[in-house]
Amino acid sequence: MNANFVGPIVSLIAGGALAAASVMGFITSQTSAPSKSPANAEAPAFDYGTTTE
């Protein structure tokens, strides 16, 4: 095969794998157990204007 053909194919595969891993990590963090999830759908908290130190 020609390098002009293999390069883009390898790049597409690597980019697709990286994107899939990133999206799956985000979905897992949002849908995991409540102790590991950053949000609570049953009791959302809106802390507008507050800061934490």
Side-chain angles (χ1 to χ4, degrees):
M1 281 193 208
N2 192 346
N4 290 335
F5 181 73
V6 174
I9 299 298
V10 171
S11 178
L12 285 171
I13 292 171
L18 181 62
S22 299
V23 169
M24 288 306 298
F26 175 73
I27 290 172
T28 301
S29 73
Q30 298 299 311
T31 59
S32 59
S35 62
K36 296 180 181 179
S37 182
N40 183 354
E42 295 173 359
F46 299 104
D47 296 328
Y48 295 114
T50 61
T51 58
T52 58
E53 295 180 20

